[in-house]
């Protein structure tokens, strides 16, 4: 998959606030993600994001292949 800044990624496990969707703020060796539920920001290794991705959509809501 090709990850771009602004995309919404759905991860395998939910955040403690209950949301599984994260907005991508930074792409590189690490990703900066912002929780769509509570706006908490985290840095995660690219390898973990690629492994745990269950869905990817563009900012307008259309799914990406």
């Amino acid at each position: 998959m090709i990850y771009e800044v602004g995309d919404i990624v759905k991860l395998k496990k939910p955040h403690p606030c209950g949301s599984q969707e994260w907005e991508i703020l930074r792409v590189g060796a690490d990703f900066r993600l912002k929780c769509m539920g509570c706006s908490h920001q985290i840095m995660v290794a690219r390898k973990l994001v690629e492994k745990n991705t269950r869905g990817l959509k563009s900012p307008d809501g259309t799914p990406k292949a």
Side-chain angles (χ1 to χ4, degrees):
M1 287 190 189
I2 298 174
Y3 298 92
E4 296 176 357
V5 173
D7 288 349
I8 307 298
V9 64
K10 183 176 181 180
L11 298 180
K12 184 177 180 180
K13 293 191 176 186
H15 189 246
C17 74
S19 176
Q20 287 183 305
E21 292 189 337
W22 297 80
E23 179 183 355
I24 299 174
L25 301 177
R26 178 185 178 279
V27 177
D30 294 321
F31 281 36
R32 177 171 291 280
L33 302 175
K34 182 175 82 170
C35 178
M36 297 300 286
C38 65
S39 298
H40 183 78
Q41 292 186 16
I42 60 171
M43 290 287 285
V44 184
R46 174 182 281 270
K47 187 174 183 180
L48 287 175
V49 173
E50 290 174 347
K51 176 183 171 188
N52 293 311
T53 297
R54 294 296 176 256
L56 184 65
K57 58 185 178 181
S58 58
D60 62 1
T62 57
K64 295 178 90 174

Coordinates of all heavy atoms in Angstrom, one line a residue:
M1 N 0.8 -1.2 0.0 CA 0.0 0.0 0.0 C 0.9 1.2 0.0 O 2.0 1.2 0.5 CB -0.9 0.0 1.2 CG -2.0 -1.0 1.2 SD -3.1 -0.6 2.6 CE -4.1 -2.0 2.5
I2 N 0.3 2.3 -0.5 CA 1.0 3.6 -0.6 C 0.4 4.5 0.5 O -0.8 4.8 0.3 CB 1.0 4.2 -2.0 CG1 1.8 3.3 -2.9 CG2 1.6 5.6 -1.9 CD1 1.7 3.7 -4.4
Y3 N 1.1 4.9 1.5 CA 0.6 5.7 2.5 C 1.0 7.2 2.2 O 2.1 7.5 1.9 CB 1.2 5.3 3.9 CG 0.9 3.9 4.3 CD1 1.7 2.9 4.0 CD2 -0.3 3.7 5.0 CE1 1.4 1.6 4.4 CE2 -0.6 2.4 5.5 CZ 0.2 1.4 5.1 OH -0.1 0.1 5.6
E4 N 0.0 8.1 2.4 CA 0.3 9.5 2.1 C -0.3 10.3 3.3 O -1.2 9.9 4.0 CB -0.4 10.0 0.8 CG 0.1 9.3 -0.4 CD -0.7 9.7 -1.7 OE1 -1.7 10.4 -1.6 OE2 -0.3 9.2 -2.7
V5 N 0.3 11.5 3.5 CA -0.1 12.4 4.6 C -1.6 12.7 4.3 O -2.0 13.1 3.2 CB 0.8 13.6 4.7 CG1 0.2 14.6 5.6 CG2 2.2 13.2 5.0
G6 N -2.4 12.7 5.4 CA -3.8 13.0 5.2 C -4.7 11.8 5.1 O -5.9 11.9 5.4
D7 N -4.2 10.6 4.7 CA -5.0 9.4 4.6 C -5.4 9.0 6.0 O -4.8 9.3 7.0 CB -4.1 8.3 4.0 CG -3.9 8.5 2.5 OD1 -4.5 9.4 1.9 OD2 -3.1 7.8 2.0
I8 N -6.5 8.2 6.0 CA -7.1 7.6 7.2 C -6.8 6.1 7.2 O -7.2 5.4 6.2 CB -8.6 7.9 7.3 CG1 -8.9 9.3 7.2 CG2 -9.1 7.3 8.6 CD1 -8.4 10.3 8.2
V9 N -6.1 5.6 8.2 CA -5.8 4.2 8.3 C -6.6 3.6 9.4 O -6.7 4.2 10.5 CB -4.2 4.0 8.4 CG1 -3.7 4.6 9.7 CG2 -3.9 2.6 8.3
K10 N -7.1 2.4 9.2 CA -7.8 1.6 10.2 C -6.9 0.5 10.7 O -6.4 -0.3 9.9 CB -9.1 1.0 9.6 CG -9.9 0.3 10.7 CD -11.2 -0.2 10.1 CE -12.0 -0.9 11.2 NZ -13.3 -1.4 10.7
L11 N -6.6 0.5 12.0 CA -5.7 -0.4 12.5 C -6.4 -1.6 13.2 O -7.6 -1.5 13.5 CB -4.7 0.2 13.5 CG -3.8 1.3 12.9 CD1 -2.9 1.9 14.0 CD2 -3.0 0.8 11.8
K12 N -5.7 -2.7 13.4 CA -6.2 -3.9 14.0 C -6.8 -3.7 15.3 O -7.9 -4.2 15.6 CB -5.1 -4.9 14.0 CG -5.4 -6.3 14.5 CD -4.2 -7.2 14.4 CE -4.5 -8.6 14.8 NZ -3.3 -9.4 14.7
K13 N -6.1 -3.1 16.2 CA -6.6 -2.9 17.6 C -7.0 -1.5 17.9 O -6.4 -0.6 17.4 CB -5.4 -3.3 18.6 CG -5.1 -4.7 18.6 CD -4.2 -5.1 19.7 CE -3.9 -6.6 19.7 NZ -3.1 -7.0 20.9
P14 N -8.1 -1.4 18.6 CA -8.6 0.0 18.9 C -7.8 0.7 19.9 O -7.1 0.1 20.8 CB -10.0 -0.3 19.4 CG -10.0 -1.6 20.0 CD -9.0 -2.4 19.2
H15 N -7.8 2.0 19.8 CA -7.2 2.9 20.8 C -8.1 2.8 22.1 O -9.2 2.5 22.0 CB -7.2 4.3 20.3 CG -6.4 5.3 21.1 ND1 -7.0 6.4 21.7 CD2 -5.1 5.4 21.4 CE1 -6.1 7.1 22.4 NE2 -4.9 6.5 22.2
P16 N -7.5 3.1 23.3 CA -8.4 3.0 24.5 C -9.6 3.9 24.4 O -10.6 3.6 25.1 CB -7.4 3.5 25.6 CG -6.1 3.1 25.1 CD -6.1 3.3 23.6
C17 N -9.7 4.9 23.6 CA -10.9 5.7 23.5 C -12.0 5.0 22.7 O -13.1 5.5 22.6 CB -10.6 7.1 22.9 SG -10.2 7.1 21.1
G18 N -11.6 3.9 22.0 CA -12.6 3.1 21.2 C -12.4 3.3 19.7 O -13.0 2.5 19.0
S19 N -11.7 4.3 19.2 CA -11.6 4.5 17.8 C -10.5 3.6 17.2 O -9.4 3.4 17.8 CB -11.2 5.9 17.5 OG -11.0 6.2 16.2
Q20 N -10.7 3.1 16.0 CA -9.7 2.3 15.3 C -9.1 3.1 14.1 O -8.2 2.6 13.4 CB -10.3 1.0 14.7 CG -10.6 0.0 15.8 CD -11.2 -1.3 15.1 OE1 -12.1 -1.3 14.4 NE2 -10.5 -2.4 15.4
E21 N -9.6 4.3 13.9 CA -9.1 5.1 12.7 C -8.2 6.1 13.2 O -8.3 6.8 14.2 CB -10.3 5.7 12.0 CG -11.2 4.6 11.3 CD -12.3 5.2 10.5 OE1 -12.6 6.4 10.7 OE2 -12.7 4.5 9.6
W22 N -7.1 6.3 12.4 CA -6.0 7.2 12.6 C -5.7 8.0 11.4 O -5.7 7.5 10.3 CB -4.8 6.5 13.0 CG -4.9 5.7 14.3 CD1 -5.5 4.4 14.4 CD2 -4.5 6.0 15.6 NE1 -5.4 4.0 15.7 CE2 -4.8 5.0 16.5 CE3 -3.8 7.2 16.1 CZ2 -4.5 5.0 17.8 CZ3 -3.5 7.2 17.4 CH2 -3.8 6.1 18.3
E23 N -5.4 9.3 11.5 CA -5.0 10.2 10.4 C -3.5 10.2 10.4 O -2.9 10.3 11.4 CB -5.6 11.6 10.6 CG -5.1 12.5 9.5 CD -5.6 14.0 9.7 OE1 -6.3 14.2 10.7 OE2 -5.2 14.8 8.9
I24 N -3.0 10.0 9.2 CA -1.5 10.1 9.0 C -1.0 11.5 8.9 O -1.5 12.3 8.0 CB -1.1 9.3 7.7 CG1 -1.5 7.8 7.9 CG2 0.4 9.4 7.5 CD1 -1.3 7.0 6.6
L25 N -0.2 11.9 9.8 CA 0.4 13.3 9.8 C 1.8 13.3 9.3 O 2.2 14.4 8.8 CB 0.4 13.8 11.3 CG -1.0 13.9 12.0 CD1 -0.8 14.4 13.4 CD2 -1.9 14.8 11.2
R26 N 2.5 12.2 9.3 CA 3.9 12.2 8.9 C 4.2 10.8 8.4 O 3.8 9.8 9.0 CB 4.9 12.5 10.0 CG 6.3 12.5 9.7 CD 7.2 12.7 10.9 NE 8.6 12.6 10.7 CZ 9.3 11.5 10.6 NH1 8.7 10.3 10.7 NH2 10.6 11.5 10.3
V27 N 4.9 10.7 7.2 CA 5.3 9.4 6.7 C 6.8 9.4 6.5 O 7.4 10.3 6.1 CB 4.6 9.2 5.3 CG1 5.1 7.9 4.6 CG2 3.1 9.3 5.4
G28 N 7.4 8.2 6.8 CA 8.8 8.0 6.7 C 9.2 6.7 7.3 O 8.4 5.8 7.2
A29 N 10.3 6.6 8.0 CA 10.7 5.3 8.7 C 9.7 5.1 9.8 O 9.4 4.0 10.2 CB 12.1 5.4 9.2
D30 N 9.2 6.2 10.4 CA 8.2 6.2 11.4 C 7.0 7.0 10.9 O 7.1 7.9 10.1 CB 8.7 6.9 12.7 CG 9.8 6.2 13.4 OD1 9.8 5.0 13.4 OD2 10.7 6.9 13.9
F31 N 5.8 6.7 11.4 CA 4.6 7.4 11.1 C 4.2 8.2 12.3 O 4.2 7.7 13.4 CB 3.5 6.4 10.8 CG 3.5 5.8 9.4 CD1 4.7 5.5 8.8 CD2 2.3 5.6 8.7 CE1 4.7 4.9 7.5 CE2 2.3 5.0 7.4 CZ 3.5 4.7 6.9
R32 N 3.7 9.4 12.1 CA 3.0 10.1 13.2 C 1.5 10.0 12.9 O 1.1 10.3 11.8 CB 3.4 11.6 13.3 CG 2.6 12.3 14.4 CD 3.1 13.7 14.6 NE 4.4 13.8 15.2 CZ 4.6 13.6 16.5 NH1 3.6 13.3 17.3 NH2 5.8 13.7 17.0
L33 N 0.8 9.4 13.8 CA -0.7 9.2 13.7 C -1.4 10.0 14.7 O -1.0 10.2 15.8 CB -1.0 7.7 13.8 CG -0.2 6.7 12.9 CD1 -0.6 5.3 13.3 CD2 -0.6 7.0 11.5
K34 N -2.6 10.5 14.3 CA -3.5 11.2 15.2 C -4.8 10.4 15.3 O -5.4 10.1 14.2 CB -3.8 12.6 14.7 CG -4.7 13.4 15.6 CD -4.9 14.8 15.2 CE -5.9 14.9 14.1 NZ -6.4 16.2 13.7
C35 N -5.2 10.1 16.5 CA -6.5 9.3 16.7 C -7.7 10.2 16.2 O -7.8 11.3 16.6 CB -6.6 8.9 18.2 SG -8.1 8.0 18.6
M36 N -8.6 9.5 15.5 CA -9.7 10.3 15.0 C -10.8 10.4 16.1 O -11.7 11.2 16.0 CB -10.4 9.5 13.8 CG -9.5 9.4 12.6 SD -9.0 11.0 12.0 CE -10.5 11.5 11.2
G37 N -10.6 9.7 17.2 CA -11.6 9.8 18.3 C -11.3 10.8 19.3 O -12.1 11.7 19.7
C38 N -10.0 10.9 19.8 CA -9.6 11.8 20.9 C -8.5 12.7 20.5 O -8.1 13.5 21.3 CB -9.2 11.0 22.1 SG -7.7 10.0 21.9
S39 N -8.0 12.7 19.3 CA -6.9 13.5 18.8 C -5.5 13.3 19.4 O -4.7 14.1 19.3 CB -7.3 15.0 18.9 OG -8.4 15.3 18.1
H40 N -5.4 12.2 20.1 CA -4.1 11.8 20.7 C -3.1 11.5 19.5 O -3.5 10.9 18.6 CB -4.2 10.6 21.6 CG -2.9 10.2 22.3 ND1 -2.4 10.9 23.4 CD2 -2.1 9.2 22.0 CE1 -1.3 10.3 23.8 NE2 -1.1 9.3 23.0
Q41 N -1.8 12.0 19.6 CA -0.9 11.7 18.6 C 0.2 10.8 19.1 O 0.7 10.8 20.2 CB -0.2 13.0 18.2 CG -1.2 14.0 17.4 CD -0.5 15.2 16.9 OE1 0.7 15.2 16.8 NE2 -1.3 16.2 16.5
I42 N 0.6 9.8 18.2 CA 1.7 8.9 18.5 C 2.6 8.7 17.3 O 2.3 9.1 16.2 CB 1.1 7.5 18.9 CG1 0.3 6.9 17.7 CG2 0.2 7.5 20.1 CD1 -0.2 5.5 17.8
M43 N 3.8 8.2 17.6 CA 4.8 7.9 16.6 C 4.9 6.4 16.6 O 5.1 5.7 17.7 CB 6.2 8.5 16.9 CG 6.3 10.0 16.7 SD 6.2 10.5 15.1 CE 7.9 10.1 14.5
V44 N 4.8 5.7 15.4 CA 4.8 4.3 15.3 C 5.7 3.9 14.2 O 5.8 4.6 13.1 CB 3.4 3.7 15.0 CG1 3.4 2.2 15.0 CG2 2.4 4.2 16.0
A45 N 6.5 2.9 14.3 CA 7.4 2.4 13.3 C 6.6 2.0 12.0 O 5.5 1.4 12.2 CB 8.2 1.2 13.8
R46 N 7.1 2.3 10.9 CA 6.4 1.9 9.6 C 6.1 0.4 9.6 O 5.0 0.1 9.1 CB 7.3 2.3 8.4 CG 6.8 1.8 7.1 CD 7.7 2.1 5.9 NE 7.6 3.5 5.5 CZ 6.8 4.0 4.6 NH1 6.0 3.1 4.0 NH2 6.8 5.2 4.3
K47 N 7.0 -0.4 10.0 CA 6.8 -1.9 10.0 C 5.5 -2.2 10.7 O 4.7 -3.1 10.3 CB 8.0 -2.6 10.5 CG 8.0 -4.0 10.4 CD 9.3 -4.6 10.9 CE 9.3 -6.1 10.7 NZ 10.6 -6.7 11.1
L48 N 5.3 -1.6 11.9 CA 4.1 -1.9 12.7 C 2.8 -1.5 12.1 O 1.8 -2.1 12.1 CB 4.2 -1.3 14.1 CG 5.2 -2.0 15.1 CD1 5.3 -1.2 16.4 CD2 4.8 -3.4 15.3
V49 N 2.9 -0.3 11.4 CA 1.7 0.2 10.8 C 1.3 -0.7 9.6 O 0.2 -1.0 9.4 CB 1.9 1.7 10.3 CG1 0.7 2.2 9.4 CG2 2.1 2.6 11.5
E50 N 2.3 -1.1 8.8 CA 2.0 -1.9 7.6 C 1.5 -3.3 8.1 O 0.6 -3.8 7.4 CB 3.3 -2.1 6.8 CG 3.8 -0.8 6.1 CD 5.1 -1.0 5.4 OE1 5.8 -1.9 5.7 OE2 5.4 -0.1 4.6
K51 N 2.0 -3.8 9.2 CA 1.6 -5.1 9.7 C 0.1 -5.1 10.2 O -0.6 -6.0 10.0 CB 2.5 -5.5 10.8 CG 2.1 -6.8 11.5 CD 3.1 -7.1 12.6 CE 2.6 -8.3 13.4 NZ 3.4 -8.5 14.6
N52 N -0.3 -4.0 10.9 CA -1.5 -3.9 11.6 C -2.6 -3.1 10.8 O -3.7 -2.9 11.3 CB -1.4 -3.2 12.9 CG -0.5 -4.1 13.8 OD1 -0.8 -5.3 14.0 ND2 0.5 -3.5 14.5
T53 N -2.4 -2.7 9.6 CA -3.4 -2.0 8.8 C -4.5 -2.9 8.3 O -4.3 -4.0 7.8 CB -2.7 -1.4 7.5 OG1 -1.8 -0.4 7.9 CG2 -3.8 -0.7 6.6
R54 N -5.7 -2.5 8.6 CA -6.9 -3.3 8.2 C -7.7 -2.5 7.1 O -8.7 -3.1 6.5 CB -7.8 -3.6 9.4 CG -7.2 -4.5 10.4 CD -6.9 -5.9 9.7 NE -6.2 -6.8 10.6 CZ -5.0 -7.1 10.5 NH1 -4.2 -6.6 9.6 NH2 -4.4 -7.9 11.3
G55 N -7.4 -1.3 6.8 CA -8.1 -0.5 5.8 C -7.4 0.8 5.6 O -6.7 1.3 6.6
L56 N -7.5 1.4 4.4 CA -6.9 2.7 4.1 C -7.8 3.4 3.2 O -8.3 2.9 2.2 CB -5.5 2.4 3.4 CG -4.7 3.7 3.1 CD1 -4.2 4.4 4.4 CD2 -3.5 3.3 2.3
K57 N -8.1 4.7 3.6 CA -8.9 5.5 2.7 C -8.3 6.9 2.6 O -7.6 7.4 3.5 CB -10.4 5.5 3.2 CG -10.6 6.0 4.6 CD -12.0 5.8 5.0 CE -12.2 6.3 6.5 NZ -13.6 6.1 6.9
S58 N -8.7 7.6 1.6 CA -8.2 8.9 1.4 C -9.0 9.9 2.2 O -10.1 9.5 2.8 CB -8.3 9.3 -0.1 OG -9.6 9.2 -0.5
P59 N -8.6 11.1 2.4 CA -9.3 12.1 3.3 C -10.7 12.3 2.9 O -11.6 12.6 3.8 CB -8.5 13.4 3.1 CG -7.2 13.0 2.6 CD -7.4 11.7 1.8
D60 N -11.1 12.1 1.6 CA -12.5 12.3 1.3 C -13.4 11.1 1.5 O -14.6 11.1 1.3 CB -12.6 12.8 -0.2 CG -12.1 11.8 -1.2 OD1 -11.6 10.7 -0.7 OD2 -12.1 12.0 -2.4
G61 N -12.8 10.0 2.0 CA -13.5 8.8 2.4 C -13.6 7.7 1.4 O -14.1 6.7 1.7
T62 N -12.9 7.9 0.3 CA -12.9 6.8 -0.7 C -11.8 5.8 -0.4 O -10.7 6.2 -0.1 CB -12.7 7.3 -2.2 OG1 -11.5 8.1 -2.2 CG2 -13.9 8.2 -2.6
P63 N -12.1 4.5 -0.4 CA -11.1 3.5 -0.1 C -10.0 3.5 -1.1 O -10.2 3.7 -2.3 CB -11.9 2.2 -0.2 CG -13.3 2.5 -0.3 CD -13.4 3.9 -0.7
K64 N -8.8 3.2 -0.6 CA -7.6 3.1 -1.5 C -7.3 1.6 -1.6 O -7.4 0.9 -0.7 CB -6.4 3.8 -0.9 CG -6.7 5.3 -0.8 CD -5.5 6.0 -0.2 CE -4.5 6.4 -1.3 NZ -3.4 7.2 -0.7
A65 N -6.8 1.2 -2.8 CA -6.5 -0.2 -3.0 C -5.1 -0.5 -2.6 O -4.2 0.2 -2.5 CB -6.6 -0.5 -4.5

